[in-house]
């Protein structure tokens, strides 16, 4: 994979600030531990972040994903109100499997508890989707898939807001997929 370090933007809304999407970095570990104290987030994600060491490991795994090109993850942050630097961590988005020649890849996301209800996940997912198709479309990417558990209606709403159509229900496949899931997909506009 080409060496790239993208930084994406999602516009502000009348009720929420703009978002910046940038690769995870070691300095994010402490805030990641705080974000993962949220029981709802832990319920929907497979990551085991519970202390500083596990957060540092998780961030290193995200950095390795960039190095190999297999898992391109972004921390979603809000700029500080004074415009100087970053405010709190608002979420996370990921593009998995966007390798040359692959027609499809997978996207995912989560939102920090304090940022829910402000359209963080849809805005970040739209920015990731646009970037993925622009960056990998000429390498064969034509479809993005999004999976979530069927009992997660918030993720279903995010998918639908971003143009990911519900394509079917996938049977549970523990331990990676402990419950039935919805498969959503979005095709690249040609």
């Amino acid at each position: 994979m080409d060496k790239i370090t993208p930084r994406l933007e999602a516009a502000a809304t009348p009720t929420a600030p703009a978002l910046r999407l940038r690769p995870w970095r070691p300095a994010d570990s402490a805030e990641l531990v705080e974000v993962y104290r949220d029981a709802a987030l832990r319920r929907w994600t497979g990551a085991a972040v519970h202390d500083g060491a596990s957060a540092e490991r998780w961030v290193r795994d995200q950095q390795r994903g960039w190095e190999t090109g297999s898992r391109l993850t972004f921390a979603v942050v809000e700029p500080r109100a004074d415009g100087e630097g970053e405010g709190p961590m608002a979420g996370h988005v990921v593009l998995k499997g966007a390798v040359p020649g692959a027609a499809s890849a997978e996207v995912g996301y989560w939102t920090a508890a304090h940022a829910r209800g402000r359209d963080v996940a849809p805005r970040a997912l739209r920015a990731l989707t646009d970037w993925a198709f622009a960056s990998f479309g000429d390498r064969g990417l034509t479809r993005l898939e999004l999976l979530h558990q069927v009992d997660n209606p918030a993720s279903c709403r995010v998918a639908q807001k971003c143009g990911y159509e519900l394509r079917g229900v996938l049977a549970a496949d523990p331990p990676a997929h402990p419950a039935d899931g919805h498969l959503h997909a979005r095709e690249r506009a040609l």
Side-chain angles (χ1 to χ4, degrees), residues 9 59 66 75 83 94 104 109 132 139 153 187 190:
E9 301 277 333
V59 169
W66 278 99
V94 58
S104 67
Y109 49 85
R139 299 179 191 187
E187 308 296 329
L190 300 175

Side-chain angles (χ1 to χ4, degrees), residues 33-149:
V33 172
E34 291 305 312
V35 167
Y36 261 87
R37 293 191 194 288
D38 174 37
L41 178 62
R42 289 192 313 273
R43 177 176 180 211
W44 303 119
T45 63
V49 174
H50 51 274
D51 60 16
S54 59
E56 289 168 6
R57 221 175 4 262
W58 188 88
V59 169
R60 280 193 306 273
D61 288 346
Q62 307 320 300
Q63 292 174 322
R64 256 190 306 283
W66 278 99
E67 292 166 7
T68 65
S70 62
R71 184 178 172 88
L72 309 178
T73 60
F74 293 87
V76 179
V77 297
E78 298 174 335
R80 285 184 17 181
D82 63 10
E84 299 294 321
E86 296 177 353
M89 183 74 54
H92 163 82
V93 290
V94 58
L95 175 65
K96 306 175 204 174
V99 296
S104 67
E106 183 182 344
V107 295
Y109 49 85
W110 53 253
T111 304
H114 70 86
R116 290 187 192 127
R118 295 192 321 220
D119 243 9
V120 167
R123 291 186 295 143
L125 180 58
R126 282 187 205 104
L128 179 72
T129 299
D130 292 346
W131 173 78
F133 283 139
S135 298
F136 299 97
D138 64 347
R139 299 179 191 187
L141 183 67
T142 60
R143 175 184 168 107
L144 292 174
E145 297 181 340
L146 186 157
L147 306 169
H148 67 82
Q149 287 183 202

